[in-house]
Amino acid sequence: MEALEQIKEKIQSFLEALDSPLTLELSKHLQSGKMLRSKLVLNIAGVNEESILLCAVIEMIQSASLLHDDVIDNALMRRSKPSINAIAGDKNAIMLGDVFYSKAFCELVAFSKEYPQIPHIISDSVVKLSLGEIEDVYLSQGFNADERKYLAMIEKKTAALIESTAFAAALLAKKSLNDAKKFSLYGRNLGMAFQIIDDILDITSTQEKLGKPILSDFKEGKTTLPYIYLYHSLQEEGKERLKKAFKQEISRDEMMWILENLKKSGAITRSFRLAKNLGEAGIESISDQSCNKLVSIMQEMIDRDF
């Protein structure tokens, strides 16, 4: 059986053990993603019982974070399908997320004896993820023009779990602590670059590929990196016009103005360059580890069109 299918079956067995038909029914509506974090684990630690368990735990944590994220963002679509909150309401989505978090932590305890650092590493990353979510909500209250605040937020909200996944997988593979930290740095940079590319694609991709309208981030109140770069390139009149469109249902004319200026200002190119630099630094951090597959994962993630 393919490793990714084994992970899905492991998660299913966890849910069935809860003896909750309602939870199982709600879980059927979850949309499976790229399983990036699992691919990291499998390529660092190989395919074995322990790595499959770690993947299942991390995928449950990721699913929980997305369930909560969709409620916070009032997002009614997830990967071109209705989100759980759209199907069953915010309360059920939040509680299902709580079930996934709690069950993941219960299963994480299995690593305590042989790999005592792993439960702490993963748990700490979930704390950071949650702090990043709080920062994201806070930043969305107004137009954020501070690049440092944006980068600090995505380092917690997106990169922390990917970083801890790579770190934990390296420990599972019995790498030295020094080498495990190299994988941790790779994971951090992968997570940062991943989010920046996601933010770019919200602007440059299509509704068909995104599963939601383009510029959704801006309309929802997220000042992502391209908009920050655009803002600082504009004259005062343009800055005010951009801020006025923030969190609004913008007209087609305003949308075209924003898209035209994002391109003309070089904001998208500059954002992509930062993602690429982060990716190259991540690859360099594991250059002595003979991990060609991780190099490919980084390159494919940066070059993807969705």
Side-chain angles (χ1 to χ4, degrees), residues 26 33 57 71 90 99 118 121 146 155 208 213 230 235 243 257 274 280-281 284 293 295:
L26 284 172
V57 166
V71 173
D90 289 351
V99 169
I118 288 180
I121 290 166
D146 192 330
E155 184 175 355
E208 290 71 28
L230 170 59
Q235 299 297 320
K243 287 165 69 174
W257 178 82
L274 177 56
E280 289 172 352
E284 178 62 28
K293 184 58 180 174
V295 173

Side-chain angles (χ1 to χ4, degrees), residues 157-272:
K157 183 180 174 183
T158 304
L161 184 58
I162 297 175
E163 178 180 359
S164 70
T165 296
F167 193 10
L171 293 176
L172 200 61
K174 302 193 184 301
K175 301 280 186 182
S176 69
L177 183 58
N178 186 54
D179 282 346
K181 288 179 179 178
K182 296 175 183 177
F183 285 94
S184 178
L185 179 56
Y186 166 90
R188 173 190 173 277
N189 281 29
L190 176 65
M192 296 281 286
F194 179 92
Q195 186 59 60
I196 292 169
I197 294 296
D198 249 20
D199 294 343
I200 293 171
L201 290 173
D202 183 75
I203 297 164
T204 62
S205 190
T206 64
Q207 182 167 340
E208 290 71 28
K209 289 182 178 179
L210 290 170
K212 60 180 181 178
I214 62 168
L215 273 62
S216 289
D217 288 344
F218 194 67
K219 295 173 191 173
E220 290 170 6
K222 297 180 186 296
T223 321
T224 57
L225 194 60
Y227 298 106
I228 295 171
Y229 288 157
L230 170 59
Y231 177 82
H232 290 292
S233 76
L234 296 170
Q235 299 297 320
E236 283 306 313
E237 183 180 346
K239 288 179 178 179
E240 288 305 312
R241 184 173 178 178
L242 184 65
K243 287 165 69 174
K244 187 176 180 180
F246 181 62
K247 294 178 77 169
Q248 302 298 319
E249 281 297 329
I250 54 180
S251 67
R252 178 168 177 78
D253 285 346
E254 284 301 278
M255 181 184 292
M256 295 310 295
W257 178 82
I258 291 170
L259 290 171
E260 180 184 340
N261 280 277
L262 280 165
K263 184 177 181 180
K264 187 168 67 175
S265 68
I268 293 172
T269 301
R270 187 178 171 190
S271 300
F272 181 78

